[in-house]
Every structure is written in C-alpha cells, then in structure tokens.
Amino acid sequence: MKSSRFFASSTDHTQLLKTAEVHRLEENGKRKYVLVAQGMDSSLVKRVPQLHLARIFLDGNTLYGAKVVNKTLGDPADVCGRLFDAAVNDFAAGQSTRAQSTLHGLSKWVSSGGTSIDALSILDENQKEAVIAIANGENDQRVYSNGRKGWELLATEFVSKELGLEARLYQSKGGTLSGIEHHSDMDYYSESGGATAIFSFS
C-alpha cells in the first residue's frame, strides 16, 4: 500500500527516474547494476533488494536479466537505459557488447496469434502442431525437435515486431538480433519455450 501511494502519479514516476542513481554491485563473480532512488546509502542498497527500482546483470561481455522491479515505472526500454549504459562503460577497451534477452510472452503470442503470425503460414502441418504444443508447455524432446525450426522463426518474428519487453531495451540501444538460443531459459519454459534472443552491438 505504501508503494502505491508513493508512486501516485506519472509526475512522481518521471521525477523519481530523473533523479534515480545507478549502483554497481558484485554478486557471485558477476556485476549487477541497480537503479535506486536518489540518496540511498550504498551498503543499504546492497543489503535490501526491495529498494531496487530496476536492474541488469553483466557477466563477461554479456548483458542479461534487465528487469523493472517496480513495474509501475514502465518497461525496461523506458527504465533500464542508464543501467545498460553504465554496464557498457565498464567494458574493457575494444571489447564487444553482447546481450541475451528473455522472450517472455512468446508462448502466449503463438497460442493466440492465429493468422496475424506470418511464420505460422509457412510451416507444414507437423511443424505447426509441434510449435503449438511447445507454446502450450510441451517439453517432449521429439516434439521440440519437430518444432525447433518453426519455434526459431516465431521467436525471430516476435523480436522483429518488438513484442519482447527486454528485447526492446537492447533494440533501442542499437542491438541487432544475431540468433535465437534454444532451451536457454528453462525456468520460464511455459513463457517462451525456453528460448532467448542474442543481440550484438557494433
């Protein structure tokens, strides 16, 4: 209840984001960049994750896990840009940037899209049956093998239509889709068939 009262209007949101500060934390050998309200003590930010407004992770040269913790503030593309910039600024000179994005919402889109999804129209009946099963949470190896190519086409279209919330952040930063990774987000298989999108940056 306190949270909803504090973020009572779009003016509150705008001012909060305008003055919010980026903190860099070390977590299990990886870097985590978090956005918090102005004036927060660093030790408190590290101890109390409930204070985080948004975050992104950096492992080597790969960014991932961009998320708006306080969802009333907007989508990752609206909120996490400064976190992305801070992480990229920490890269060693000449190191290329790479991002791995979740594709949550892909399964629901496939299940309910019908004729509005271009990729479905070019799949044969066996492939179509397989991708619909994947979208409905089926994780049988034979089914996935039959639907793998179709699922990749669907994931690519999902990204190209800017339907992925995290993917839109990387697209807004000039990222180019370089591939779809299969079975790389198994904790959220029902959301995306386990797929993630890989972005490269020039």
Side-chain angles (χ1 to χ4, degrees):
M1 294 296 293
K2 290 182 180 178
S3 173
S4 61
R5 284 198 300 270
F6 183 75
F7 303 116
S9 71
S10 59
T11 301
D12 292 334
H13 296 158
T14 301
Q15 185 61 25
L16 180 66
L17 290 176
K18 184 178 179 180
T19 59
E21 299 172 341
V22 176
H23 286 244
R24 188 181 79 179
L25 309 175
E26 298 291 334
E27 190 173 278
N28 300 321
K30 302 171 185 177
R31 291 177 182 173
K32 179 180 181 180
Y33 298 80
V34 299
L35 197 66
V36 298
Q38 185 180 37
M40 291 288 180
D41 180 76
S42 295
S43 61
L44 194 62
V45 170
K46 186 174 183 178
R47 293 197 316 269
V48 187
Q50 291 84 354
L51 296 175
H52 303 170
L53 304 175
R55 47 91 162 147
I56 195 170
F57 292 93
L58 175 64
D59 186 7
N61 71 328
T62 301
L63 290 149
Y64 69 98
K67 181 178 180 180
V68 181
V69 180
N70 187 320
K71 298 187 188 309
T72 63
L73 295 175
D75 294 335
D78 305 315
V79 180
C80 297
R82 288 169 56 203
L83 298 177
F84 178 96
D85 295 341
V88 170
N89 286 339
D90 279 351
F91 281 11
Q95 192 175 25
S96 61
T97 307
R98 179 179 182 269
Q100 182 171 19
S101 172
T102 58
L103 294 176
H104 299 168
L106 171 59
S107 295
K108 183 177 180 180
W109 177 69
V110 172
S111 294
S112 61
T115 57
S116 66
I117 300 178
D118 298 332
L120 285 177
S121 67
I122 64 174
L123 302 181
D124 63 33
E125 286 305 311
N126 287 335
Q127 291 174 318
K128 192 177 295 186
E129 183 178 320
V131 297
I132 294 300
I134 293 169
N136 288 327
E138 177 61 64
N139 192 19
D140 177 80
Q141 185 174 352
R142 181 186 61 81
V143 171
Y144 198 91
S145 179
N146 289 340
R148 181 184 177 95
K149 180 179 178 181
W151 198 251
E152 190 166 321
L153 290 172
L154 289 162
T156 300
E157 183 177 342
F158 184 77
V159 171
S160 71
K161 290 182 173 178
E162 299 190 354
L163 298 175
L165 293 183
E166 184 180 3
R168 274 210 307 268
L169 166 66
Y170 305 129
Q171 289 169 303
S172 74
K173 290 296 184 178
T176 301
L177 180 67
S178 58
I180 301 296
E181 287 198 358
H182 297 268
H183 284 176
S184 52
D185 188 20
M186 296 303 286
D187 288 345
Y188 293 91
Y189 187 87
S190 63
E191 292 274 349
S192 63
T196 57
I198 305 301
F199 290 90
S200 58
F201 299 82
S202 57

